Amino acid sequence: MRTALVAGNWKMNGTRASAQALLAELLAGLSAAPAQAQVVVCPPFTLIPLVAELLAGGASVSYGAQDVATEKSGAYTGEIAAAMLTDYGCRYAIVGHSERRALYGETDAIVAAKYTAARTGGLIPIACVGETLQEREAGQTEVVVARQLDALLALGNEALAAGVIAYEPVWAIGTGKTATPEQAQEVHRFIRARLAAQSATVAEGLQILYGGSVKGSNAATLFAQPDIDGGLIGGASLSAAEFLQIIRAAG
Ligand code: PGA
């Protein structure tokens, strides 16, 4: 049985004050009713020291980064390495988010390199895959997701087993247009089957999250699907009440 995981991707949002308020409300909600799911927040880099401080002492919430450098250290202006993140207690790093693929030119090869950098640097990579609206309408969903996935499958079973996959249809991200539970499940099943073709054990154990306009009101039906093991939550993770409702839905 796979444990459910709910991860919040704060994207480029938040100040010290807003992060403090958000986490205080989240922790209060979780202490009133402990989560059945693993809970992770991914703040922007600048807020990681504060989040580390606020979640210190075995809090029920883990945290991670939204990206990680492919390299370990050196002359890479603006980059943040895995070791800098684990230095602050980060456990996770999102890699290959569609915004990074589309806006910053991250290729499947770069995403695979980031996956490896995260994993070998002591972080659990949350690798995102997903098709655009144009690709879906052209009937290319499986082709695109398979191509993105194969770059990770090539890293081998041990590497795969150490990560998390997030299926995020690009047309559903931040648009309010959630995939239906059936649409999401269809792709999740496809992803798990493709993993199973390489290793049934890895496929069975791997958490596959859904992301794209998940809200308190639609989370439960998505998470009820057999191959959906939780969610990667953008906008709704900035509201403690919404995020708590989503966490409960994954319980
Ligand atoms: P959204 O974002 O929940 O705001 O659609 C999800 C994501 O980009 O991870």
Side-chain angles (χ1 to χ4, degrees), residues 2-248:
R2 296 177 293 271
T3 314
L5 191 158
V6 175
N9 173 9
W10 294 1
K11 306 195 179 182
M12 196 172 72
N13 294 292
T15 58
R16 290 175 59 83
S18 71
Q20 190 147 10
L22 178 57
L23 281 185
E25 203 181 329
L26 180 63
L27 292 178
L30 291 176
S31 80
Q36 305 296 310
Q38 295 174 297
V39 181
V40 179
V41 292
C42 296
F45 291 126
T46 52
L47 293 174
I48 286 175
L50 174 72
V51 168
E53 207 181 297
L54 296 172
L55 296 180
S60 51
V61 179
S62 304
Y63 53 95
Q66 299 169 18
D67 188 21
V68 65
T70 55
E71 307 302 321
K72 285 195 173 73
S73 67
Y76 301 99
T77 302
E79 291 290 285
I80 304 282
M84 297 169 170
L85 298 171
T86 55
D87 194 26
Y88 278 97
C90 284
R91 288 198 56 209
Y92 291 85
I94 298 171
V95 299
H97 189 279
S98 66
E99 286 151 18
R100 299 224 48 97
R101 291 178 188 263
L103 304 172
Y104 303 100
E106 291 193 8
T107 60
D108 293 332
I110 293 173
V111 175
K114 289 190 168 188
Y115 187 103
T116 298
R119 188 181 72 84
T120 57
L123 296 163
I124 300 170
I126 301 175
C128 305
V129 299
E131 81 289 359
T132 62
L133 183 59
Q134 205 180 9
E135 288 161 344
R136 173 162 282 260
E137 286 174 346
Q140 295 296 298
T141 299
E142 292 190 353
V143 174
V144 170
V145 170
R147 192 203 72 222
Q148 294 171 337
L149 205 55
D150 287 354
L152 305 173
L153 282 164
L155 301 175
N157 293 340
E158 200 186 327
L160 272 178
V164 173
I165 304 279
Y167 168 59
E168 299 205 305
V170 179
W171 48 271
I173 295 178
T175 58
K177 260 193 241 157
T178 322
T180 64
E182 295 72 27
Q183 279 175 323
Q185 166 58 22
E186 198 181 336
V187 182
H188 279 240
R189 188 195 304 116
F190 172 77
I191 292 171
R192 204 176 300 281
R194 198 162 184 95
L195 296 168
Q198 181 162 304
S199 164
T201 316
V202 172
E204 192 47 42
L206 205 70
Q207 291 166 315
I208 308 178
L209 313 182
Y210 169 80
S213 298
V214 178
K215 300 182 281 269
S217 56
N218 61 22
T221 51
L222 285 160
F223 299 164
Q225 299 298 313
D227 289 300
I228 302 184
D229 306 312
L232 181 54
I233 320 301
S237 72
L238 296 172
S239 152
E242 279 283 325
F243 195 50
L244 282 163
Q245 205 181 336
I246 295 166
I247 293 165
R248 306 267 178 261

